[in-house]
Amino acid sequence: ETAPKEAQMQQTGSTILKLVWLTGAAAMAMAVLAQNLRFLRRLKRIRQPFACPESPVPVWVASGLPSPCLAGLFRPEIYLTPEAAQNPETRQFVLRHELAHYHARDQLWSLLRLICQCLYWFDPFVWLAAALSRRDCELACDEGALQRLGEAERIPYGQTLRVSGLRVFGN
């Protein structure tokens, strides 16, 4: 008689844990989706077209962004801050960086990170791995941009980012 009760309690505990996990995963997914949709809607409201024939993706200028970024999963677009768009050298460096994200298909890696964070919302190591992955992604894009720019542009690239205060690394 105690064995069936024990088995029933285990099953109830397992069901409760599954419901807690599912609730957390669904809440995370809804929050991430809502946040991204709000951000994309805001970008569409504040953006202005920016002519950039060398870019394979549309380029826009958007006031109020903390930093330039590549946005959009299926049809990515580059968004520049007005400060980055004004200065030709800064613009060149920022575009190279954002195009490195585009060529690496980082929007898909970002989606994969978010899916992992939603599914493993309870695991601090997944959150740490996602943060380290984002950092590595930014460093790889800097390396890719510098390879395309060449050795002579290394110092100006770093100085432009430092002096202008742009958070190119924070995409």
Side-chain angles (χ1 to χ4, degrees):
E1 206 171 291
T2 48
K5 281 186 180 181
E6 206 172 283
Q8 186 179 11
M9 285 178 59
Q10 280 183 335
Q11 187 175 6
T12 302
S14 176
T15 301
I16 290 171
L17 286 176
K18 286 176 187 174
L19 285 173
V20 168
W21 170 78
L22 185 60
T23 302
M28 278 287 302
M30 288 188 306
V32 165
L33 182 63
Q35 180 182 23
N36 279 284
L37 289 175
R38 266 194 318 273
F39 180 67
L40 291 172
R41 226 177 296 130
R42 178 175 168 254
L43 283 177
K44 289 189 190 293
R45 269 195 333 268
I46 64 173
R47 71 186 186 180
Q48 299 295 319
F50 187 83
C52 190
E54 69 269 21
S55 175
V57 298
V59 178
W60 305 87
V61 175
S63 296
L65 285 179
S67 67
C69 64
L70 179 71
L73 183 60
F74 300 111
R75 286 177 287 169
E77 301 170 320
I78 294 174
Y79 289 87
L80 302 175
T81 61
E83 299 80 19
Q86 283 177 340
N87 182 308
E89 185 178 50
T90 302
R91 183 175 57 242
Q92 175 193 13
F93 293 149
V94 169
L95 284 172
R96 294 292 177 143
H97 179 89
E98 297 308 329
L99 287 172
H101 279 297
Y102 172 74
H103 291 299
R105 303 208 190 291
D106 285 340
Q107 69 275 19
L108 299 175
W109 290 110
S110 181
L111 176 63
L112 182 61
R113 277 193 301 270
L114 288 172
I115 290 170
C116 288
Q117 286 179 287
C118 288
L119 293 177
Y120 296 96
W121 57 268
F122 56 88
D123 189 342
F125 291 111
V126 170
W127 288 82
L128 176 62
L132 293 174
S133 173
R134 277 189 297 278
R135 186 199 64 189
D136 289 348
C137 175
E138 293 302 327
L139 292 173
C141 284
D142 285 331
E143 182 61 30
L146 287 169
Q147 284 177 353
R148 284 183 177 83
L149 289 168
E151 189 66 34
E153 298 294 327
R154 285 185 178 275
I155 291 174
Y157 180 84
Q159 286 176 333
T160 298
L161 299 179
R162 183 179 54 79
V163 171
S164 68
L166 292 175
R167 282 189 31 225
V168 174
F169 310 112
N171 297 347

